[in-house]
């Protein structure tokens, strides 16, 4: 006898598929019983698609956060190597990390060596690769888990059946801005728009020598502390990722439902609070740097319908990331953030100009130096 799903079950199935579309398979199909935080090792290949850096090797899937918000991060040597490869690349080039080059079919790839580096630049592939997955699995791929290919299905998560426990878990990985649209059964296209926002990038550089488990605990501690500071000031943590042997948080102010007239001032207060928290509470850090910018950006959903994310794109996003990396150890901001915050001029100290990749005429840049009590008194 066939089983026909009820109307409510069909709706629930569609909803969990929409939620899963924002979460990677490494989270969707992981066990729900592990205590947070936890790290789990696997082998994989990383592609940094901005300017094509490729690495491969041992990785760790890290899950951090609290009962309200959780984050998925990939750490390990292969992450450090793909960032190194990206740093060596220019437009229209492909760089293979040392470990990725070791694992390639080297006779079939023409490369140029890079001076003083073990990474290589790919010139061209000599012939069409004839790669047998079965032979690979029978030889060096025995220890690697492989997902079974499902015919006519781009991603298994798009066919998830109703599962209340899984849905409750996956909701923790999605921003409230997006969840509201999903719960209201509204098209996510309504979230895609150009809008003024304030961008906060936070970068934590580690002292070095930490194990994956130690990095996991550090990121977990930071995720909870940073999340509390950001949400308290009406902002959202958009994503957490590894960057140049450090961990970076992208935080957003002024999203739909969170718009405030004084968002730049609150973003600066949150940035200062985050900087102070990391310096005092996280002992394994070498440096914490924060970049803050304000201006029009694209806010919306990008990616394939069955695997996409809500993010921000634009010149001000790039500038905030550059400030974070070029002015280490301080809270830096652009002139628009300074202006729209309406805070006293003596809270800001002009920073020296620096050449920043991909940034032309950034304007006057400042270090924000107000302490918590000064900000509190002003905002009250």
């Amino acid at each position: 006898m066939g089983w026909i799903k009820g109307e409510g079950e069909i709706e629930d199935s569609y909803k969990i598929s929409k939620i899963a579309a924002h979460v990677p398979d490494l989270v969707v199909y992981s066990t729900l019983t592990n205590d947070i935080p936890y790290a789990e090792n696997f082998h994989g290949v990383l592609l940094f698609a901005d300017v094509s850096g490729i690495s491969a090797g041992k990785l760790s899937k890290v899950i951090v956060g609290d009962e309200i918000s959780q984050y998925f991060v990939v750490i390990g040597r292969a992450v450090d190597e793909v960032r190194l490869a990206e740093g060596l690349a220019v437009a229209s080039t492909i760089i293979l990390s040392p470990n990725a080059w070791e694992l390639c079919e080297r006779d079939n790839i023409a490369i140029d060596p890079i001076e003083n580096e073990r990474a290589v630049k790919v010139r061209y592939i000599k012939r069409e690769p004839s790669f047998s997955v079965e032979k690979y699995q029978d030889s060096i791929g025995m220890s690697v888990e492989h997902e079974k290919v499902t015919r006519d299905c781009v991603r298994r998560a798009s066919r998830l059946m109703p599962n209340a426990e899984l849905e409750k878990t996956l909701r923790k990985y999605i921003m409230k801005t997006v969840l509201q649209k999903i719960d209201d059964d509204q098209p996510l296209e309504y979230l895609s728009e150009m809008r003024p926002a304030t961008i906060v990038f936070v970068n934590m550089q580690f002292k070095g020598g930490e194990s994956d488990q130690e990095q996991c605990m550090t990121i977990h501690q930071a995720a909870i502390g940073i999340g509390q500071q950001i949400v308290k000031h009406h902002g959202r943590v958009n994503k957490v990722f590894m960057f140049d042997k450090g961990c970076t948080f992208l935080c957003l102010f002024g999203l739909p439902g969170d718009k405030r007239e004084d968002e730049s001032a609150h973003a600066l207060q949150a940035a200062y609070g985050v900087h102070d928290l990391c310096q005092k509470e996280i002992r394994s850090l070498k440096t914490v740097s924060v970049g803050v910018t304000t201006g029009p950006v694209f806010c919306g959903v990008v990616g394939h319908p069955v695997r996409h994310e809500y993010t921000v794109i634009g010149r001000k996003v790039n500038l905030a990331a550059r400030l974070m990396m070029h002015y280490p150890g301080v809270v830096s901001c652009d002139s628009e953030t300074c202006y729209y915050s309406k805070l006293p001029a003596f809270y800001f100290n002009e920073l020296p100009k620096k050449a920043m990749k991909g940034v032309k005429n950034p304007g006057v840049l400042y270090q924000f130096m107000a302490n918590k009590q000064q900000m509190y008194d002003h905002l009250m």
Side-chain angles (χ1 to χ4, degrees):
M1 178 180 293
W3 175 59
I4 302 175
K5 292 190 288 186
E7 184 177 341
E9 291 171 307
I10 293 175
E11 182 179 340
D12 287 344
S13 176
Y14 180 55
K15 183 175 180 180
I16 195 172
S17 295
K18 289 196 289 187
I19 288 174
H22 291 267
V23 187
D25 279 352
L26 282 172
V27 175
V28 174
Y29 295 107
S30 64
T31 175
L32 306 181
T33 58
N34 288 332
D35 291 332
I36 305 297
Y38 74 88
E40 184 178 295
N41 295 330
F42 68 101
H43 289 82
V45 176
L46 287 177
L47 168 64
F48 193 81
D50 187 11
V51 279
S52 294
I54 301 174
S55 71
K58 181 180 176 181
L59 298 164
S60 291
K61 175 187 74 176
V62 170
I63 303 296
V64 298
D66 54 25
E67 282 302 310
I68 299 174
S69 298
Q70 293 177 5
Y71 309 96
F72 162 79
V73 189
V74 175
I75 66 175
R77 177 184 169 187
V79 179
D80 297 337
E81 285 196 352
V82 79
R83 295 294 176 180
L84 169 65
E86 183 269 337
L88 296 171
V90 295
S92 303
T93 63
I94 297 175
I95 305 295
L96 294 176
S97 74
N99 202 40
W101 175 231
E102 288 291 331
L103 295 172
C104 283
E105 187 183 356
R106 301 175 71 167
D107 292 339
N108 193 34
I109 302 176
I111 59 98
D112 287 327
I114 300 175
E115 187 176 0
N116 299 323
E117 298 287 349
R118 292 175 56 229
V120 298
K121 175 184 175 182
V122 177
R123 291 172 56 201
Y124 59 88
I125 297 176
K126 299 176 183 178
R127 58 185 180 277
E128 188 70 24
S130 56
F131 184 82
S132 170
V133 175
E134 291 76 16
K135 288 182 180 179
Y136 171 78
Q137 289 177 322
D138 292 339
S139 55
I140 63 174
M142 293 294 290
S143 62
V144 181
E145 293 184 10
H146 296 269
E147 181 177 320
K148 293 182 179 179
V149 177
T150 304
R151 188 179 297 275
D152 300 325
C153 182
V154 176
R155 185 170 182 246
R156 286 190 299 149
S158 63
R159 294 182 175 179
L160 282 173
M161 299 299 290
N163 184 327
E165 182 182 5
L166 179 59
E167 179 181 326
K168 182 180 178 181
T169 299
L170 297 185
R171 289 175 68 91
K172 298 175 184 178
Y173 294 88
I174 306 174
M175 292 176 60
K176 185 179 178 180
T177 308
V178 177
L179 281 176
Q180 187 66 51
K181 290 293 183 186
I182 294 176
D183 289 342
D184 292 343
D185 197 26
Q186 295 183 16
L188 292 181
E189 288 81 359
Y190 289 177
L191 281 172
S192 297
E193 58 179 335
M194 291 294 297
R195 65 184 290 123
T198 299
I199 314 299
V200 177
F201 269 100
V202 181
N203 178 255
M204 305 184 305
Q205 292 287 325
F206 303 114
K207 292 180 180 177
E210 300 87 2
S211 66
D212 286 354
Q213 192 62 40
E214 289 170 333
Q215 280 196 9
C216 172
M217 293 303 299
T218 298
I219 297 170
H220 172 66
Q221 183 183 2
I224 293 175
I226 292 172
Q228 290 173 347
Q229 285 285 334
I230 297 299
V231 171
K232 182 171 69 173
H233 293 287
H234 312 283
R236 303 288 170 187
V237 177
N238 181 239
K239 58 169 64 74
V240 185
F241 56 96
M242 298 303 290
F243 186 86
D244 286 348
K245 296 187 178 180
C247 182
T248 295
F249 290 74
L250 170 57
C251 312
L252 310 175
F253 292 78
L255 297 180
D258 295 322
K259 195 68 180 173
R260 291 176 64 91
E261 187 176 346
D262 54 357
E263 72 181 46
S264 293
H266 276 277
L268 286 171
Q269 186 178 18
Y272 189 92
V274 165
H275 189 269
D276 189 53
L277 171 84
C278 291
Q279 282 191 316
K280 292 179 178 178
E281 302 292 334
I282 305 178
R283 296 182 179 179
S284 61
L285 291 187
K286 180 174 66 175
T287 308
V288 57
S289 312
V290 187
V292 187
T293 59
T294 299
V297 294
F298 168 80
C299 303
V301 177
V302 297
H304 194 280
V306 298
R307 178 67 185 99
H308 47 231
E309 63 175 342
Y310 181 83
T311 191
V312 291
I313 302 171
R315 176 178 173 270
K316 288 295 183 177
V317 181
N318 299 337
L319 178 57
R322 298 304 181 200
L323 290 180
M324 170 190 72
M325 296 309 296
H326 284 79
Y327 296 96
V330 303
V331 177
S332 55
C333 70
D334 63 354
S335 58
E336 285 82 359
T337 303
C338 174
Y339 174 78
Y340 287 113
S341 72
K342 300 178 182 178
L343 294 172
F346 56 81
Y347 286 1
F348 301 88
N349 182 36
E350 187 173 337
L351 288 166
K353 292 184 179 179
K354 294 184 179 181
M356 295 182 284
K357 181 180 177 182
V359 176
K360 293 182 179 179
N361 303 320
V364 181
L365 304 174
Y366 298 95
Q367 178 184 353
F368 178 69
M369 301 182 296
N371 62 45
K372 189 182 298 184
Q373 187 59 45
Q374 286 174 316
M375 286 291 293
Y376 178 80
D377 293 341
H378 182 86
L379 291 174
M380 291 296 105

